């Protein structure tokens, strides 16, 4: 397979044409979970009435923190 892509360099104001050749194709099964060091904690404000969203966050490991 052969792929052609265009990339744009805004600083130099030029368009680059790149060519990618695929030499091998194999099945790949990504890991279902991220490693702990890849995860980033973020704070999200969720309204009291947003119960469906709260349930989703809780199921994903979210924790409540009263600020």
């Amino acid at each position: 397979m052969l792929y052609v892509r265009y990339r744009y360099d805004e600083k130099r104001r030029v368009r680059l044409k790149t060519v990618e050749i695929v030499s091998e194709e194999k099945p790949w099964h990504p890991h279902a979970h991220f490693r702990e060091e890849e995860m980033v904690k973020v704070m999200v404000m969720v309204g009291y009435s947003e119960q469906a969203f709260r349930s989703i966050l809780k199921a994903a490991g979210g924790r409540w923190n009263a600020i």
Side-chain angles (χ1 to χ4, degrees), residues 24-57:
E24 178 183 25
E25 184 176 321
K26 292 164 109 178
W28 176 64
H29 305 287
H31 297 291
H33 299 284
F34 292 104
R35 294 190 305 252
E36 188 68 30
E37 63 270 12
E38 294 174 333
M39 299 182 88
V40 177
K41 291 182 180 179
V42 295
M43 294 183 79
V44 179
M45 279 186 89
V46 180
Y48 182 77
S49 63
E50 297 178 279
Q51 295 186 4
F53 188 48
R54 287 172 36 202
S55 297
I56 293 168
L57 290 174

PDB file of all heavy atoms in Angstrom, residues 24-57:
ATOM      1  N   GLU A  24       4.195  -4.014   5.877  1.00  0.00           N
ATOM      2  CA  GLU A  24       3.695  -5.178   6.594  1.00  0.00           C
ATOM      3  C   GLU A  24       2.401  -4.809   7.303  1.00  0.00           C
ATOM      4  O   GLU A  24       2.218  -3.686   7.754  1.00  0.00           O
ATOM      5  CB  GLU A  24       4.729  -5.633   7.631  1.00  0.00           C
ATOM      6  CG  GLU A  24       4.295  -6.807   8.455  1.00  0.00           C
ATOM      7  CD  GLU A  24       5.333  -7.165   9.515  1.00  0.00           C
ATOM      8  OE1 GLU A  24       6.119  -6.300   9.925  1.00  0.00           O
ATOM      9  OE2 GLU A  24       5.325  -8.327   9.931  1.00  0.00           O
ATOM     10  N   GLU A  25       1.509  -5.778   7.391  1.00  0.00           N
ATOM     11  CA  GLU A  25       0.254  -5.572   8.107  1.00  0.00           C
ATOM     12  C   GLU A  25      -0.002  -6.797   8.970  1.00  0.00           C
ATOM     13  O   GLU A  25       0.058  -7.922   8.486  1.00  0.00           O
ATOM     14  CB  GLU A  25      -0.893  -5.376   7.112  1.00  0.00           C
ATOM     15  CG  GLU A  25      -2.207  -5.056   7.772  1.00  0.00           C
ATOM     16  CD  GLU A  25      -3.290  -4.766   6.742  1.00  0.00           C
ATOM     17  OE1 GLU A  25      -3.000  -4.126   5.727  1.00  0.00           O
ATOM     18  OE2 GLU A  25      -4.429  -5.204   6.984  1.00  0.00           O
ATOM     19  N   LYS A  26      -0.242  -6.550  10.284  1.00  0.00           N
ATOM     20  CA  LYS A  26      -0.509  -7.640  11.220  1.00  0.00           C
ATOM     21  C   LYS A  26      -1.670  -7.239  12.113  1.00  0.00           C
ATOM     22  O   LYS A  26      -1.878  -6.057  12.363  1.00  0.00           O
ATOM     23  CB  LYS A  26       0.697  -7.868  12.125  1.00  0.00           C
ATOM     24  CG  LYS A  26       1.922  -8.401  11.440  1.00  0.00           C
ATOM     25  CD  LYS A  26       3.112  -8.198  12.333  1.00  0.00           C
ATOM     26  CE  LYS A  26       3.720  -9.340  12.957  1.00  0.00           C
ATOM     27  NZ  LYS A  26       4.877  -9.165  13.783  1.00  0.00           N
ATOM     28  N   PRO A  27      -2.398  -8.201  12.639  1.00  0.00           N
ATOM     29  CA  PRO A  27      -3.459  -7.878  13.597  1.00  0.00           C
ATOM     30  C   PRO A  27      -2.851  -7.244  14.846  1.00  0.00           C
ATOM     31  O   PRO A  27      -1.744  -7.585  15.258  1.00  0.00           O
ATOM     32  CB  PRO A  27      -4.082  -9.231  13.937  1.00  0.00           C
ATOM     33  CG  PRO A  27      -3.613 -10.157  12.884  1.00  0.00           C
ATOM     34  CD  PRO A  27      -2.338  -9.611  12.339  1.00  0.00           C
ATOM     35  N   TRP A  28      -3.585  -6.321  15.440  1.00  0.00           N
ATOM     36  CA  TRP A  28      -3.138  -5.643  16.648  1.00  0.00           C
ATOM     37  C   TRP A  28      -4.319  -5.485  17.575  1.00  0.00           C
ATOM     38  O   TRP A  28      -5.385  -5.054  17.171  1.00  0.00           O
ATOM     39  CB  TRP A  28      -2.544  -4.287  16.281  1.00  0.00           C
ATOM     40  CG  TRP A  28      -2.130  -3.469  17.454  1.00  0.00           C
ATOM     41  CD1 TRP A  28      -1.152  -3.761  18.356  1.00  0.00           C
ATOM     42  CD2 TRP A  28      -2.681  -2.220  17.849  1.00  0.00           C
ATOM     43  NE1 TRP A  28      -1.051  -2.756  19.282  1.00  0.00           N
ATOM     44  CE2 TRP A  28      -1.983  -1.790  18.997  1.00  0.00           C
ATOM     45  CE3 TRP A  28      -3.694  -1.410  17.348  1.00  0.00           C
ATOM     46  CZ2 TRP A  28      -2.281  -0.606  19.639  1.00  0.00           C
ATOM     47  CZ3 TRP A  28      -3.979  -0.229  17.995  1.00  0.00           C
ATOM     48  CH2 TRP A  28      -3.261   0.165  19.131  1.00  0.00           C
ATOM     49  N   HIS A  29      -4.132  -5.827  18.824  1.00  0.00           N
ATOM     50  CA  HIS A  29      -5.189  -5.719  19.819  1.00  0.00           C
ATOM     51  C   HIS A  29      -4.692  -4.812  20.941  1.00  0.00           C
ATOM     52  O   HIS A  29      -3.883  -5.242  21.766  1.00  0.00           O
ATOM     53  CB  HIS A  29      -5.569  -7.097  20.366  1.00  0.00           C
ATOM     54  CG  HIS A  29      -5.951  -8.055  19.285  1.00  0.00           C
ATOM     55  ND1 HIS A  29      -7.138  -7.961  18.596  1.00  0.00           N
ATOM     56  CD2 HIS A  29      -5.287  -9.091  18.725  1.00  0.00           C
ATOM     57  CE1 HIS A  29      -7.197  -8.906  17.693  1.00  0.00           C
ATOM     58  NE2 HIS A  29      -6.083  -9.613  17.742  1.00  0.00           N
ATOM     59  N   PRO A  30      -5.145  -3.564  20.965  1.00  0.00           N
ATOM     60  CA  PRO A  30      -4.670  -2.639  22.004  1.00  0.00           C
ATOM     61  C   PRO A  30      -5.129  -3.066  23.388  1.00  0.00           C
ATOM     62  O   PRO A  30      -6.132  -3.758  23.535  1.00  0.00           O
ATOM     63  CB  PRO A  30      -5.281  -1.304  21.607  1.00  0.00           C
ATOM     64  CG  PRO A  30      -6.456  -1.649  20.772  1.00  0.00           C
ATOM     65  CD  PRO A  30      -6.138  -2.957  20.102  1.00  0.00           C
ATOM     66  N   HIS A  31      -4.380  -2.633  24.387  1.00  0.00           N
ATOM     67  CA  HIS A  31      -4.760  -2.916  25.771  1.00  0.00           C
ATOM     68  C   HIS A  31      -6.063  -2.196  26.093  1.00  0.00           C
ATOM     69  O   HIS A  31      -6.314  -1.087  25.639  1.00  0.00           O
ATOM     70  CB  HIS A  31      -3.669  -2.453  26.731  1.00  0.00           C
ATOM     71  CG  HIS A  31      -2.380  -3.168  26.529  1.00  0.00           C
ATOM     72  ND1 HIS A  31      -2.204  -4.499  26.839  1.00  0.00           N
ATOM     73  CD2 HIS A  31      -1.202  -2.752  26.018  1.00  0.00           C
ATOM     74  CE1 HIS A  31      -0.976  -4.857  26.540  1.00  0.00           C
ATOM     75  NE2 HIS A  31      -0.345  -3.819  26.037  1.00  0.00           N
ATOM     76  N   ALA A  32      -6.880  -2.823  26.884  1.00  0.00           N
ATOM     77  CA  ALA A  32      -8.180  -2.250  27.229  1.00  0.00           C
ATOM     78  C   ALA A  32      -8.047  -1.080  28.196  1.00  0.00           C
ATOM     79  O   ALA A  32      -8.891  -0.205  28.226  1.00  0.00           O
ATOM     80  CB  ALA A  32      -9.078  -3.324  27.828  1.00  0.00           C
ATOM     81  N   HIS A  33      -6.976  -1.037  28.989  1.00  0.00           N
ATOM     82  CA  HIS A  33      -6.826  -0.010  30.002  1.00  0.00           C
ATOM     83  C   HIS A  33      -5.494   0.724  29.820  1.00  0.00           C
ATOM     84  O   HIS A  33      -4.525   0.163  29.325  1.00  0.00           O
ATOM     85  CB  HIS A  33      -6.876  -0.617  31.403  1.00  0.00           C
ATOM     86  CG  HIS A  33      -8.172  -1.310  31.689  1.00  0.00           C
ATOM     87  ND1 HIS A  33      -9.329  -0.632  31.968  1.00  0.00           N
ATOM     88  CD2 HIS A  33      -8.498  -2.619  31.707  1.00  0.00           C
ATOM     89  CE1 HIS A  33     -10.305  -1.490  32.162  1.00  0.00           C
ATOM     90  NE2 HIS A  33      -9.834  -2.707  32.006  1.00  0.00           N
ATOM     91  N   PHE A  34      -5.475   1.965  30.247  1.00  0.00           N
ATOM     92  CA  PHE A  34      -4.244   2.729  30.245  1.00  0.00           C
ATOM     93  C   PHE A  34      -3.417   2.344  31.459  1.00  0.00           C
ATOM     94  O   PHE A  34      -3.942   1.967  32.499  1.00  0.00           O
ATOM     95  CB  PHE A  34      -4.544   4.234  30.314  1.00  0.00           C
ATOM     96  CG  PHE A  34      -5.193   4.758  29.081  1.00  0.00           C
ATOM     97  CD1 PHE A  34      -6.549   5.040  29.059  1.00  0.00           C
ATOM     98  CD2 PHE A  34      -4.450   4.983  27.937  1.00  0.00           C
ATOM     99  CE1 PHE A  34      -7.153   5.535  27.927  1.00  0.00           C
ATOM    100  CE2 PHE A  34      -5.042   5.469  26.804  1.00  0.00           C
ATOM    101  CZ  PHE A  34      -6.394   5.751  26.789  1.00  0.00           C
ATOM    102  N   ARG A  35      -2.115   2.499  31.324  1.00  0.00           N
ATOM    103  CA  ARG A  35      -1.247   2.298  32.480  1.00  0.00           C
ATOM    104  C   ARG A  35      -1.426   3.484  33.428  1.00  0.00           C
ATOM    105  O   ARG A  35      -1.748   4.583  33.015  1.00  0.00           O
ATOM    106  CB  ARG A  35       0.206   2.183  32.032  1.00  0.00           C
ATOM    107  CG  ARG A  35       0.466   0.929  31.203  1.00  0.00           C
ATOM    108  CD  ARG A  35       1.943   0.730  30.979  1.00  0.00           C
ATOM    109  NE  ARG A  35       2.568   1.899  30.367  1.00  0.00           N
ATOM    110  CZ  ARG A  35       2.999   1.976  29.108  1.00  0.00           C
ATOM    111  NH1 ARG A  35       2.869   0.942  28.325  1.00  0.00           N
ATOM    112  NH2 ARG A  35       3.556   3.070  28.654  1.00  0.00           N
ATOM    113  N   GLU A  36      -1.177   3.256  34.690  1.00  0.00           N
ATOM    114  CA  GLU A  36      -1.380   4.286  35.712  1.00  0.00           C
ATOM    115  C   GLU A  36      -0.585   5.555  35.405  1.00  0.00           C
ATOM    116  O   GLU A  36      -1.068   6.663  35.580  1.00  0.00           O
ATOM    117  CB  GLU A  36      -0.994   3.728  37.084  1.00  0.00           C
ATOM    118  CG  GLU A  36      -1.334   4.627  38.235  1.00  0.00           C
ATOM    119  CD  GLU A  36      -2.823   4.796  38.468  1.00  0.00           C
ATOM    120  OE1 GLU A  36      -3.592   3.862  38.178  1.00  0.00           O
ATOM    121  OE2 GLU A  36      -3.217   5.870  38.949  1.00  0.00           O
ATOM    122  N   GLU A  37       0.652   5.404  34.920  1.00  0.00           N
ATOM    123  CA  GLU A  37       1.482   6.581  34.636  1.00  0.00           C
ATOM    124  C   GLU A  37       1.001   7.377  33.423  1.00  0.00           C
ATOM    125  O   GLU A  37       1.410   8.513  33.220  1.00  0.00           O
ATOM    126  CB  GLU A  37       2.961   6.197  34.473  1.00  0.00           C
ATOM    127  CG  GLU A  37       3.270   5.275  33.307  1.00  0.00           C
ATOM    128  CD  GLU A  37       3.196   3.790  33.651  1.00  0.00           C
ATOM    129  OE1 GLU A  37       2.693   3.430  34.730  1.00  0.00           O
ATOM    130  OE2 GLU A  37       3.645   2.992  32.818  1.00  0.00           O
ATOM    131  N   GLU A  38       0.123   6.799  32.611  1.00  0.00           N
ATOM    132  CA  GLU A  38      -0.425   7.508  31.462  1.00  0.00           C
ATOM    133  C   GLU A  38      -1.679   8.304  31.822  1.00  0.00           C
ATOM    134  O   GLU A  38      -2.128   9.128  31.047  1.00  0.00           O
ATOM    135  CB  GLU A  38      -0.779   6.529  30.342  1.00  0.00           C
ATOM    136  CG  GLU A  38       0.412   5.821  29.729  1.00  0.00           C
ATOM    137  CD  GLU A  38      -0.009   4.771  28.728  1.00  0.00           C
ATOM    138  OE1 GLU A  38      -1.125   4.233  28.855  1.00  0.00           O
ATOM    139  OE2 GLU A  38       0.777   4.474  27.827  1.00  0.00           O
ATOM    140  N   MET A  39      -2.217   8.062  32.992  1.00  0.00           N
ATOM    141  CA  MET A  39      -3.465   8.712  33.375  1.00  0.00           C
ATOM    142  C   MET A  39      -3.196  10.080  33.993  1.00  0.00           C
ATOM    143  O   MET A  39      -2.191  10.284  34.665  1.00  0.00           O
ATOM    144  CB  MET A  39      -4.242   7.832  34.339  1.00  0.00           C
ATOM    145  CG  MET A  39      -4.606   6.491  33.724  1.00  0.00           C
ATOM    146  SD  MET A  39      -5.552   5.479  34.829  1.00  0.00           S
ATOM    147  CE  MET A  39      -7.169   6.039  34.431  1.00  0.00           C
ATOM    148  N   VAL A  40      -4.103  10.994  33.753  1.00  0.00           N
ATOM    149  CA  VAL A  40      -4.002  12.339  34.288  1.00  0.00           C
ATOM    150  C   VAL A  40      -5.289  12.639  35.042  1.00  0.00           C
ATOM    151  O   VAL A  40      -6.382  12.399  34.543  1.00  0.00           O
ATOM    152  CB  VAL A  40      -3.821  13.368  33.146  1.00  0.00           C
ATOM    153  CG1 VAL A  40      -3.788  14.776  33.701  1.00  0.00           C
ATOM    154  CG2 VAL A  40      -2.580  13.068  32.341  1.00  0.00           C
ATOM    155  N   LYS A  41      -5.162  13.152  36.253  1.00  0.00           N
ATOM    156  CA  LYS A  41      -6.345  13.504  37.024  1.00  0.00           C
ATOM    157  C   LYS A  41      -6.787  14.911  36.638  1.00  0.00           C
ATOM    158  O   LYS A  41      -5.969  15.810  36.513  1.00  0.00           O
ATOM    159  CB  LYS A  41      -6.039  13.457  38.516  1.00  0.00           C
ATOM    160  CG  LYS A  41      -5.798  12.057  39.010  1.00  0.00           C
ATOM    161  CD  LYS A  41      -5.541  12.057  40.495  1.00  0.00           C
ATOM    162  CE  LYS A  41      -5.296  10.631  40.962  1.00  0.00           C
ATOM    163  NZ  LYS A  41      -5.029  10.585  42.397  1.00  0.00           N
ATOM    164  N   VAL A  42      -8.070  15.068  36.447  1.00  0.00           N
ATOM    165  CA  VAL A  42      -8.642  16.374  36.141  1.00  0.00           C
ATOM    166  C   VAL A  42      -9.842  16.608  37.042  1.00  0.00           C
ATOM    167  O   VAL A  42     -10.497  15.673  37.479  1.00  0.00           O
ATOM    168  CB  VAL A  42      -9.073  16.497  34.655  1.00  0.00           C
ATOM    169  CG1 VAL A  42      -7.880  16.420  33.734  1.00  0.00           C
ATOM    170  CG2 VAL A  42     -10.094  15.455  34.292  1.00  0.00           C
ATOM    171  N   MET A  43     -10.103  17.869  37.326  1.00  0.00           N
ATOM    172  CA  MET A  43     -11.271  18.207  38.134  1.00  0.00           C
ATOM    173  C   MET A  43     -12.407  18.601  37.195  1.00  0.00           C
ATOM    174  O   MET A  43     -12.199  19.342  36.240  1.00  0.00           O
ATOM    175  CB  MET A  43     -10.932  19.343  39.078  1.00  0.00           C
ATOM    176  CG  MET A  43      -9.907  18.947  40.126  1.00  0.00           C
ATOM    177  SD  MET A  43      -9.585  20.258  41.288  1.00  0.00           S
ATOM    178  CE  MET A  43     -11.016  20.096  42.330  1.00  0.00           C
ATOM    179  N   VAL A  44     -13.592  18.081  37.468  1.00  0.00           N
ATOM    180  CA  VAL A  44     -14.769  18.352  36.658  1.00  0.00           C
ATOM    181  C   VAL A  44     -15.896  18.768  37.586  1.00  0.00           C
ATOM    182  O   VAL A  44     -16.153  18.104  38.592  1.00  0.00           O
ATOM    183  CB  VAL A  44     -15.197  17.095  35.862  1.00  0.00           C
ATOM    184  CG1 VAL A  44     -16.429  17.373  35.041  1.00  0.00           C
ATOM    185  CG2 VAL A  44     -14.062  16.602  34.987  1.00  0.00           C
ATOM    186  N   MET A  45     -16.538  19.868  37.254  1.00  0.00           N
ATOM    187  CA  MET A  45     -17.700  20.273  38.047  1.00  0.00           C
ATOM    188  C   MET A  45     -18.939  19.622  37.461  1.00  0.00           C
ATOM    189  O   MET A  45     -19.199  19.733  36.264  1.00  0.00           O
ATOM    190  CB  MET A  45     -17.862  21.788  38.020  1.00  0.00           C
ATOM    191  CG  MET A  45     -16.958  22.509  38.977  1.00  0.00           C
ATOM    192  SD  MET A  45     -17.321  24.255  39.009  1.00  0.00           S
ATOM    193  CE  MET A  45     -18.571  24.303  40.269  1.00  0.00           C
ATOM    194  N   VAL A  46     -19.676  18.931  38.303  1.00  0.00           N
ATOM    195  CA  VAL A  46     -20.878  18.253  37.867  1.00  0.00           C
ATOM    196  C   VAL A  46     -22.027  18.739  38.745  1.00  0.00           C
ATOM    197  O   VAL A  46     -21.939  18.683  39.972  1.00  0.00           O
ATOM    198  CB  VAL A  46     -20.730  16.715  37.994  1.00  0.00           C
ATOM    199  CG1 VAL A  46     -21.985  16.020  37.540  1.00  0.00           C
ATOM    200  CG2 VAL A  46     -19.529  16.235  37.193  1.00  0.00           C
ATOM    201  N   GLY A  47     -23.064  19.210  38.110  1.00  0.00           N
ATOM    202  CA  GLY A  47     -24.222  19.694  38.856  1.00  0.00           C
ATOM    203  C   GLY A  47     -24.955  18.566  39.560  1.00  0.00           C
ATOM    204  O   GLY A  47     -24.935  17.414  39.112  1.00  0.00           O
ATOM    205  N   TYR A  48     -25.605  18.914  40.656  1.00  0.00           N
ATOM    206  CA  TYR A  48     -26.332  17.919  41.438  1.00  0.00           C
ATOM    207  C   TYR A  48     -27.398  17.219  40.598  1.00  0.00           C
ATOM    208  O   TYR A  48     -27.641  16.019  40.757  1.00  0.00           O
ATOM    209  CB  TYR A  48     -26.977  18.589  42.663  1.00  0.00           C
ATOM    210  CG  TYR A  48     -27.708  17.606  43.540  1.00  0.00           C
ATOM    211  CD1 TYR A  48     -27.001  16.765  44.384  1.00  0.00           C
ATOM    212  CD2 TYR A  48     -29.099  17.521  43.513  1.00  0.00           C
ATOM    213  CE1 TYR A  48     -27.661  15.852  45.194  1.00  0.00           C
ATOM    214  CE2 TYR A  48     -29.778  16.615  44.320  1.00  0.00           C
ATOM    215  CZ  TYR A  48     -29.050  15.788  45.155  1.00  0.00           C
ATOM    216  OH  TYR A  48     -29.708  14.887  45.943  1.00  0.00           O
ATOM    217  N   SER A  49     -28.019  17.929  39.674  1.00  0.00           N
ATOM    218  CA  SER A  49     -29.090  17.345  38.862  1.00  0.00           C
ATOM    219  C   SER A  49     -28.573  16.457  37.728  1.00  0.00           C
ATOM    220  O   SER A  49     -29.347  15.752  37.094  1.00  0.00           O
ATOM    221  CB  SER A  49     -29.959  18.461  38.274  1.00  0.00           C
ATOM    222  OG  SER A  49     -29.187  19.262  37.403  1.00  0.00           O
ATOM    223  N   GLU A  50     -27.282  16.440  37.472  1.00  0.00           N
ATOM    224  CA  GLU A  50     -26.706  15.641  36.382  1.00  0.00           C
ATOM    225  C   GLU A  50     -26.380  14.232  36.866  1.00  0.00           C
ATOM    226  O   GLU A  50     -25.247  13.787  36.842  1.00  0.00           O
ATOM    227  CB  GLU A  50     -25.448  16.320  35.845  1.00  0.00           C
ATOM    228  CG  GLU A  50     -25.704  17.684  35.239  1.00  0.00           C
ATOM    229  CD  GLU A  50     -24.428  18.335  34.778  1.00  0.00           C
ATOM    230  OE1 GLU A  50     -23.722  18.910  35.616  1.00  0.00           O
ATOM    231  OE2 GLU A  50     -24.148  18.248  33.575  1.00  0.00           O
ATOM    232  N   GLN A  51     -27.412  13.506  37.260  1.00  0.00           N
ATOM    233  CA  GLN A  51     -27.210  12.209  37.895  1.00  0.00           C
ATOM    234  C   GLN A  51     -26.673  11.148  36.937  1.00  0.00           C
ATOM    235  O   GLN A  51     -25.862  10.312  37.336  1.00  0.00           O
ATOM    236  CB  GLN A  51     -28.494  11.773  38.564  1.00  0.00           C
ATOM    237  CG  GLN A  51     -28.841  12.724  39.695  1.00  0.00           C
ATOM    238  CD  GLN A  51     -30.037  12.277  40.507  1.00  0.00           C
ATOM    239  OE1 GLN A  51     -30.583  11.220  40.294  1.00  0.00           O
ATOM    240  NE2 GLN A  51     -30.413  13.116  41.453  1.00  0.00           N
ATOM    241  N   ALA A  52     -27.090  11.179  35.679  1.00  0.00           N
ATOM    242  CA  ALA A  52     -26.579  10.193  34.716  1.00  0.00           C
ATOM    243  C   ALA A  52     -25.080  10.392  34.506  1.00  0.00           C
ATOM    244  O   ALA A  52     -24.301   9.429  34.488  1.00  0.00           O
ATOM    245  CB  ALA A  52     -27.326  10.304  33.394  1.00  0.00           C
ATOM    246  N   PHE A  53     -24.671  11.654  34.370  1.00  0.00           N
ATOM    247  CA  PHE A  53     -23.254  11.967  34.183  1.00  0.00           C
ATOM    248  C   PHE A  53     -22.453  11.588  35.429  1.00  0.00           C
ATOM    249  O   PHE A  53     -21.361  11.046  35.338  1.00  0.00           O
ATOM    250  CB  PHE A  53     -23.099  13.450  33.847  1.00  0.00           C
ATOM    251  CG  PHE A  53     -21.710  13.844  33.447  1.00  0.00           C
ATOM    252  CD1 PHE A  53     -20.996  13.118  32.514  1.00  0.00           C
ATOM    253  CD2 PHE A  53     -21.120  14.963  34.001  1.00  0.00           C
ATOM    254  CE1 PHE A  53     -19.716  13.492  32.147  1.00  0.00           C
ATOM    255  CE2 PHE A  53     -19.841  15.351  33.637  1.00  0.00           C
ATOM    256  CZ  PHE A  53     -19.137  14.604  32.716  1.00  0.00           C
ATOM    257  N   ARG A  54     -23.017  11.847  36.601  1.00  0.00           N
ATOM    258  CA  ARG A  54     -22.354  11.476  37.850  1.00  0.00           C
ATOM    259  C   ARG A  54     -22.129   9.971  37.915  1.00  0.00           C
ATOM    260  O   ARG A  54     -21.065   9.498  38.321  1.00  0.00           O
ATOM    261  CB  ARG A  54     -23.191  11.933  39.049  1.00  0.00           C
ATOM    262  CG  ARG A  54     -23.132  13.430  39.258  1.00  0.00           C
ATOM    263  CD  ARG A  54     -24.070  13.958  40.307  1.00  0.00           C
ATOM    264  NE  ARG A  54     -24.265  13.107  41.462  1.00  0.00           N
ATOM    265  CZ  ARG A  54     -25.308  13.165  42.270  1.00  0.00           C
ATOM    266  NH1 ARG A  54     -26.264  14.052  42.046  1.00  0.00           N
ATOM    267  NH2 ARG A  54     -25.419  12.368  43.295  1.00  0.00           N
ATOM    268  N   SER A  55     -23.116   9.200  37.486  1.00  0.00           N
ATOM    269  CA  SER A  55     -22.989   7.742  37.507  1.00  0.00           C
ATOM    270  C   SER A  55     -21.885   7.263  36.573  1.00  0.00           C
ATOM    271  O   SER A  55     -21.125   6.355  36.919  1.00  0.00           O
ATOM    272  CB  SER A  55     -24.311   7.089  37.101  1.00  0.00           C
ATOM    273  OG  SER A  55     -25.313   7.409  38.032  1.00  0.00           O
ATOM    274  N   ILE A  56     -21.799   7.867  35.404  1.00  0.00           N
ATOM    275  CA  ILE A  56     -20.757   7.497  34.437  1.00  0.00           C
ATOM    276  C   ILE A  56     -19.375   7.795  35.009  1.00  0.00           C
ATOM    277  O   ILE A  56     -18.461   6.972  34.935  1.00  0.00           O
ATOM    278  CB  ILE A  56     -20.964   8.236  33.100  1.00  0.00           C
ATOM    279  CG1 ILE A  56     -22.236   7.745  32.410  1.00  0.00           C
ATOM    280  CG2 ILE A  56     -19.758   8.075  32.185  1.00  0.00           C
ATOM    281  CD1 ILE A  56     -22.679   8.590  31.244  1.00  0.00           C
ATOM    282  N   LEU A  57     -19.225   8.985  35.592  1.00  0.00           N
ATOM    283  CA  LEU A  57     -17.936   9.353  36.170  1.00  0.00           C
ATOM    284  C   LEU A  57     -17.560   8.434  37.331  1.00  0.00           C
ATOM    285  O   LEU A  57     -16.412   8.009  37.465  1.00  0.00           O
ATOM    286  CB  LEU A  57     -17.962  10.807  36.644  1.00  0.00           C
ATOM    287  CG  LEU A  57     -18.012  11.854  35.539  1.00  0.00           C
ATOM    288  CD1 LEU A  57     -18.188  13.240  36.130  1.00  0.00           C
ATOM    289  CD2 LEU A  57     -16.774  11.793  34.679  1.00  0.00           C
TER     290      LEU A  57
END
